[in-house]
mmCIF file of all heavy atoms in Angstrom:
data_model
loop_
_atom_site.group_PDB
_atom_site.id
_atom_site.type_symbol
_atom_site.label_atom_id
_atom_site.label_comp_id
_atom_site.label_asym_id
_atom_site.label_seq_id
_atom_site.Cartn_x
_atom_site.Cartn_y
_atom_site.Cartn_z
ATOM 1 N N MET A 2 -17.679 10.335 -6.174
ATOM 2 C CA MET A 2 -16.422 9.843 -6.755
ATOM 3 C C MET A 2 -15.584 10.844 -7.264
ATOM 4 O O MET A 2 -14.307 10.694 -7.365
ATOM 5 C CB MET A 2 -16.782 8.844 -7.843
ATOM 6 C CG MET A 2 -17.360 7.508 -7.437
ATOM 7 S SD MET A 2 -16.365 6.597 -6.141
ATOM 8 C CE MET A 2 -15.071 6.108 -7.195
ATOM 9 N N GLN A 3 -16.144 12.066 -7.566
ATOM 10 C CA GLN A 3 -15.319 13.151 -8.054
ATOM 11 C C GLN A 3 -14.293 13.680 -6.987
ATOM 12 O O GLN A 3 -13.291 14.334 -7.287
ATOM 13 C CB GLN A 3 -16.170 14.350 -8.504
ATOM 14 C CG GLN A 3 -16.956 15.139 -7.503
ATOM 15 C CD GLN A 3 -18.266 14.548 -7.152
ATOM 16 O OE1 GLN A 3 -18.618 13.385 -7.547
ATOM 17 N NE2 GLN A 3 -19.075 15.273 -6.388
ATOM 18 N N ASP A 4 -14.634 13.383 -5.745
ATOM 19 C CA ASP A 4 -13.684 13.755 -4.581
ATOM 20 C C ASP A 4 -12.694 12.598 -4.175
ATOM 21 O O ASP A 4 -11.949 12.835 -3.220
ATOM 22 C CB ASP A 4 -14.597 14.083 -3.383
ATOM 23 C CG ASP A 4 -15.429 15.344 -3.684
ATOM 24 O OD1 ASP A 4 -14.927 16.276 -4.317
ATOM 25 O OD2 ASP A 4 -16.531 15.308 -3.232
ATOM 26 N N MET A 5 -12.601 11.606 -4.968
ATOM 27 C CA MET A 5 -11.879 10.409 -4.548
ATOM 28 C C MET A 5 -10.390 10.847 -4.507
ATOM 29 O O MET A 5 -9.631 10.418 -3.575
ATOM 30 C CB MET A 5 -11.956 9.264 -5.500
ATOM 31 C CG MET A 5 -11.171 8.071 -5.132
ATOM 32 S SD MET A 5 -11.723 6.594 -5.934
ATOM 33 C CE MET A 5 -10.541 5.462 -5.345
ATOM 34 N N GLY A 6 -9.844 11.544 -5.425
ATOM 35 C CA GLY A 6 -8.490 11.987 -5.375
ATOM 36 C C GLY A 6 -8.023 12.744 -4.222
ATOM 37 O O GLY A 6 -7.019 12.470 -3.647
ATOM 38 N N LYS A 7 -8.963 13.632 -3.803
ATOM 39 C CA LYS A 7 -8.716 14.490 -2.629
ATOM 40 C C LYS A 7 -8.603 13.673 -1.387
ATOM 41 O O LYS A 7 -7.724 13.729 -0.591
ATOM 42 C CB LYS A 7 -9.849 15.555 -2.476
ATOM 43 C CG LYS A 7 -9.671 16.420 -1.304
ATOM 44 C CD LYS A 7 -10.653 17.666 -1.342
ATOM 45 C CE LYS A 7 -12.013 17.334 -1.707
ATOM 46 N NZ LYS A 7 -12.940 18.476 -1.527
ATOM 47 N N VAL A 8 -9.550 12.771 -1.225
ATOM 48 C CA VAL A 8 -9.681 11.857 -0.081
ATOM 49 C C VAL A 8 -8.436 10.911 -0.082
ATOM 50 O O VAL A 8 -7.840 10.686 0.928
ATOM 51 C CB VAL A 8 -10.947 11.087 -0.049
ATOM 52 C CG1 VAL A 8 -11.002 10.123 1.062
ATOM 53 C CG2 VAL A 8 -12.175 12.066 0.135
ATOM 54 N N MET A 9 -8.225 10.318 -1.238
ATOM 55 C CA MET A 9 -7.019 9.431 -1.333
ATOM 56 C C MET A 9 -5.725 10.086 -0.880
ATOM 57 O O MET A 9 -4.902 9.549 -0.232
ATOM 58 C CB MET A 9 -6.856 8.807 -2.758
ATOM 59 C CG MET A 9 -7.849 7.654 -3.050
ATOM 60 S SD MET A 9 -7.524 6.272 -2.070
ATOM 61 C CE MET A 9 -5.853 5.775 -2.670
ATOM 62 N N GLY A 10 -5.548 11.274 -1.368
ATOM 63 C CA GLY A 10 -4.322 11.976 -1.008
ATOM 64 C C GLY A 10 -4.110 12.236 0.506
ATOM 65 O O GLY A 10 -2.996 11.920 1.009
ATOM 66 N N ILE A 11 -5.176 12.630 1.082
ATOM 67 C CA ILE A 11 -5.167 12.916 2.531
ATOM 68 C C ILE A 11 -4.921 11.570 3.277
ATOM 69 O O ILE A 11 -4.030 11.446 4.283
ATOM 70 C CB ILE A 11 -6.380 13.594 3.000
ATOM 71 C CG1 ILE A 11 -6.460 15.025 2.382
ATOM 72 C CG2 ILE A 11 -6.389 13.742 4.581
ATOM 73 C CD1 ILE A 11 -7.703 15.705 2.557
ATOM 74 N N VAL A 12 -5.729 10.594 2.950
ATOM 75 C CA VAL A 12 -5.673 9.321 3.810
ATOM 76 C C VAL A 12 -4.310 8.582 3.611
ATOM 77 O O VAL A 12 -3.693 8.073 4.463
ATOM 78 C CB VAL A 12 -6.795 8.395 3.363
ATOM 79 C CG1 VAL A 12 -6.595 6.980 3.966
ATOM 80 C CG2 VAL A 12 -8.143 8.956 3.779
ATOM 81 N N SER A 13 -3.867 8.680 2.333
ATOM 82 C CA SER A 13 -2.524 7.909 1.913
ATOM 83 C C SER A 13 -1.442 8.577 2.671
ATOM 84 O O SER A 13 -0.511 7.957 3.185
ATOM 85 C CB SER A 13 -2.355 8.019 0.422
ATOM 86 O OG SER A 13 -3.233 7.294 -0.318
ATOM 87 N N LYS A 14 -1.414 9.911 2.761
ATOM 88 C CA LYS A 14 -0.406 10.629 3.503
ATOM 89 C C LYS A 14 -0.505 10.333 5.109
ATOM 90 O O LYS A 14 0.578 10.089 5.690
ATOM 91 C CB LYS A 14 -0.505 12.124 3.372
ATOM 92 C CG LYS A 14 0.618 12.972 3.704
ATOM 93 C CD LYS A 14 0.554 14.375 3.314
ATOM 94 C CE LYS A 14 0.752 14.557 1.847
ATOM 95 N NZ LYS A 14 0.653 16.001 1.413
ATOM 96 N N GLU A 15 -1.692 10.261 5.551
ATOM 97 C CA GLU A 15 -1.920 10.030 6.936
ATOM 98 C C GLU A 15 -1.549 8.581 7.400
ATOM 99 O O GLU A 15 -0.961 8.334 8.529
ATOM 100 C CB GLU A 15 -3.313 10.241 7.409
ATOM 101 C CG GLU A 15 -3.655 10.233 8.888
ATOM 102 C CD GLU A 15 -5.075 10.545 9.236
ATOM 103 O OE1 GLU A 15 -5.662 11.387 8.415
ATOM 104 O OE2 GLU A 15 -5.521 10.118 10.217
ATOM 105 N N LEU A 16 -1.798 7.558 6.495
ATOM 106 C CA LEU A 16 -1.488 6.201 6.877
ATOM 107 C C LEU A 16 -0.310 5.620 6.115
ATOM 108 O O LEU A 16 -0.146 4.436 5.899
ATOM 109 C CB LEU A 16 -2.667 5.321 6.351
ATOM 110 C CG LEU A 16 -4.043 5.729 6.970
ATOM 111 C CD1 LEU A 16 -5.098 4.792 6.497
ATOM 112 C CD2 LEU A 16 -3.918 5.599 8.548
ATOM 113 N N ALA A 17 0.610 6.539 5.759
ATOM 114 C CA ALA A 17 1.822 6.150 5.019
ATOM 115 C C ALA A 17 2.567 5.055 5.703
ATOM 116 O O ALA A 17 2.924 5.154 6.916
ATOM 117 C CB ALA A 17 2.723 7.408 4.911
ATOM 118 N N GLY A 18 2.774 3.941 5.026
ATOM 119 C CA GLY A 18 3.468 2.787 5.641
ATOM 120 C C GLY A 18 2.642 1.905 6.489
ATOM 121 O O GLY A 18 3.075 0.748 6.795
ATOM 122 N N GLN A 19 1.456 2.300 6.831
ATOM 123 C CA GLN A 19 0.642 1.501 7.658
ATOM 124 C C GLN A 19 -0.497 0.781 6.898
ATOM 125 O O GLN A 19 -1.170 -0.092 7.556
ATOM 126 C CB GLN A 19 0.019 2.307 8.723
ATOM 127 C CG GLN A 19 1.009 3.082 9.655
ATOM 128 C CD GLN A 19 0.357 3.931 10.728
ATOM 129 O OE1 GLN A 19 -0.524 4.693 10.278
ATOM 130 N NE2 GLN A 19 0.788 3.897 11.969
ATOM 131 N N ALA A 20 -0.695 1.108 5.726
ATOM 132 C CA ALA A 20 -1.699 0.535 4.899
ATOM 133 C C ALA A 20 -1.390 0.439 3.453
ATOM 134 O O ALA A 20 -0.760 1.280 2.978
ATOM 135 C CB ALA A 20 -3.000 1.250 5.062
ATOM 136 N N ASP A 21 -1.766 -0.537 2.819
ATOM 137 C CA ASP A 21 -1.552 -0.765 1.396
ATOM 138 C C ASP A 21 -2.460 0.111 0.539
ATOM 139 O O ASP A 21 -3.680 0.360 0.922
ATOM 140 C CB ASP A 21 -1.925 -2.253 1.093
ATOM 141 C CG ASP A 21 -1.916 -2.559 -0.422
ATOM 142 O OD1 ASP A 21 -0.904 -2.304 -1.052
ATOM 143 O OD2 ASP A 21 -2.918 -3.183 -0.863
ATOM 144 N N GLY A 22 -1.903 0.771 -0.449
ATOM 145 C CA GLY A 22 -2.671 1.783 -1.255
ATOM 146 C C GLY A 22 -3.917 1.107 -1.937
ATOM 147 O O GLY A 22 -4.940 1.732 -2.090
ATOM 148 N N LYS A 23 -3.825 -0.193 -2.320
ATOM 149 C CA LYS A 23 -4.968 -0.851 -2.892
ATOM 150 C C LYS A 23 -6.060 -1.018 -2.005
ATOM 151 O O LYS A 23 -7.242 -0.750 -2.280
ATOM 152 C CB LYS A 23 -4.447 -2.256 -3.477
ATOM 153 C CG LYS A 23 -5.404 -2.813 -4.447
ATOM 154 C CD LYS A 23 -4.944 -4.220 -4.868
ATOM 155 C CE LYS A 23 -3.812 -4.192 -5.695
ATOM 156 N NZ LYS A 23 -3.309 -5.501 -6.273
ATOM 157 N N THR A 24 -5.807 -1.275 -0.691
ATOM 158 C CA THR A 24 -6.774 -1.459 0.363
ATOM 159 C C THR A 24 -7.483 -0.050 0.578
ATOM 160 O O THR A 24 -8.736 -0.003 0.688
ATOM 161 C CB THR A 24 -6.258 -2.009 1.634
ATOM 162 O OG1 THR A 24 -5.495 -3.229 1.341
ATOM 163 C CG2 THR A 24 -7.305 -2.298 2.636
ATOM 164 N N ILE A 25 -6.667 0.933 0.719
ATOM 165 C CA ILE A 25 -7.249 2.268 0.987
ATOM 166 C C ILE A 25 -8.094 2.602 -0.174
ATOM 167 O O ILE A 25 -9.290 3.090 0.072
ATOM 168 C CB ILE A 25 -6.090 3.255 1.131
ATOM 169 C CG1 ILE A 25 -5.207 3.044 2.343
ATOM 170 C CG2 ILE A 25 -6.667 4.763 1.163
ATOM 171 C CD1 ILE A 25 -4.042 3.862 2.385
ATOM 172 N N SER A 26 -7.657 2.478 -1.384
ATOM 173 C CA SER A 26 -8.475 2.793 -2.554
ATOM 174 C C SER A 26 -9.827 2.087 -2.680
ATOM 175 O O SER A 26 -10.833 2.731 -2.849
ATOM 176 C CB SER A 26 -7.612 2.463 -3.843
ATOM 177 O OG SER A 26 -8.372 2.615 -5.038
ATOM 178 N N SER A 27 -9.878 0.819 -2.365
ATOM 179 C CA SER A 27 -11.068 0.136 -2.448
ATOM 180 C C SER A 27 -12.091 0.556 -1.363
ATOM 181 O O SER A 27 -13.308 0.660 -1.553
ATOM 182 C CB SER A 27 -10.852 -1.425 -2.235
ATOM 183 O OG SER A 27 -10.323 -1.682 -1.019
ATOM 184 N N ILE A 28 -11.513 0.924 -0.100
ATOM 185 C CA ILE A 28 -12.387 1.368 0.917
ATOM 186 C C ILE A 28 -12.926 2.850 0.583
ATOM 187 O O ILE A 28 -14.107 3.080 0.829
ATOM 188 C CB ILE A 28 -11.627 1.388 2.214
ATOM 189 C CG1 ILE A 28 -11.401 -0.037 2.750
ATOM 190 C CG2 ILE A 28 -12.535 2.193 3.378
ATOM 191 C CD1 ILE A 28 -10.439 -0.127 3.933
ATOM 192 N N VAL A 29 -12.047 3.683 0.059
ATOM 193 C CA VAL A 29 -12.500 5.018 -0.259
ATOM 194 C C VAL A 29 -13.585 4.834 -1.365
ATOM 195 O O VAL A 29 -14.647 5.626 -1.268
ATOM 196 C CB VAL A 29 -11.364 5.886 -0.798
ATOM 197 C CG1 VAL A 29 -11.752 7.189 -1.391
ATOM 198 C CG2 VAL A 29 -10.369 6.140 0.399
ATOM 199 N N LYS A 30 -13.280 4.091 -2.337
ATOM 200 C CA LYS A 30 -14.310 3.872 -3.496
ATOM 201 C C LYS A 30 -15.655 3.399 -2.886
ATOM 202 O O LYS A 30 -16.671 3.946 -3.299
ATOM 203 C CB LYS A 30 -13.768 2.899 -4.380
ATOM 204 C CG LYS A 30 -14.218 3.019 -5.784
ATOM 205 C CD LYS A 30 -13.600 2.029 -6.810
ATOM 206 C CE LYS A 30 -12.194 2.616 -7.134
ATOM 207 N NZ LYS A 30 -11.569 1.815 -8.147
ATOM 208 N N ALA A 31 -15.669 2.449 -2.056
ATOM 209 C CA ALA A 31 -16.960 1.887 -1.350
ATOM 210 C C ALA A 31 -17.636 2.991 -0.726
ATOM 211 O O ALA A 31 -18.853 3.106 -0.702
ATOM 212 C CB ALA A 31 -16.617 0.783 -0.566
ATOM 213 N N LYS A 32 -16.923 3.744 0.157
ATOM 214 C CA LYS A 32 -17.532 4.796 0.904
ATOM 215 C C LYS A 32 -18.069 6.036 0.140
ATOM 216 O O LYS A 32 -19.170 6.468 0.346
ATOM 217 C CB LYS A 32 -16.571 5.337 2.020
ATOM 218 C CG LYS A 32 -16.151 4.357 3.129
ATOM 219 C CD LYS A 32 -17.303 4.117 3.902
ATOM 220 C CE LYS A 32 -16.996 2.891 4.891
ATOM 221 N NZ LYS A 32 -18.236 2.456 5.695
ATOM 222 N N LEU A 33 -17.400 6.288 -0.927
ATOM 223 C CA LEU A 33 -17.855 7.413 -1.806
ATOM 224 C C LEU A 33 -18.932 7.070 -2.699
ATOM 225 O O LEU A 33 -19.715 7.942 -3.121
ATOM 226 C CB LEU A 33 -16.704 8.093 -2.527
ATOM 227 C CG LEU A 33 -15.604 8.901 -1.730
ATOM 228 C CD1 LEU A 33 -14.519 9.286 -2.598
ATOM 229 C CD2 LEU A 33 -16.244 10.021 -0.996
ATOM 230 N N SER A 34 -19.023 5.816 -3.144
ATOM 231 C CA SER A 34 -20.130 5.380 -4.061
ATOM 232 C C SER A 34 -21.390 5.016 -3.301
ATOM 233 O O SER A 34 -22.371 4.788 -3.999
ATOM 234 C CB SER A 34 -19.593 4.256 -4.961
ATOM 235 O OG SER A 34 -19.235 3.157 -4.143
ATOM 236 N N SER A 35 -21.274 4.961 -1.993
ATOM 237 C CA SER A 35 -22.599 4.500 -1.291
ATOM 238 C C SER A 35 -23.380 5.734 -0.875
ATOM 239 O O SER A 35 -22.958 6.803 -0.807
ATOM 240 C CB SER A 35 -22.197 3.688 -0.019
ATOM 241 O OG SER A 35 -21.334 4.379 0.863
#
């Protein structure tokens, strides 16, 4: 989870306009906590 900000920044920039931030956040959180 300490790397969530780094991952969110990259993914959000890559998927700009194609995905909702809330959806991206929940997927990143699920992947990093497992």
Side-chain angles (χ1 to χ4, degrees):
M2 290 304 289
Q3 70 272 13
D4 296 320
M5 183 163 177
K7 179 171 40 171
V8 174
M9 278 296 296
I11 295 168
V12 173
S13 295
K14 197 174 281 185
E15 190 175 331
L16 301 180
Q19 298 177 318
D21 171 54
K23 195 182 288 186
T24 307
I25 294 171
S26 174
S27 65
I28 292 172
V29 169
K30 203 174 284 184
K32 293 294 175 188
L33 289 176
S34 62
S35 60

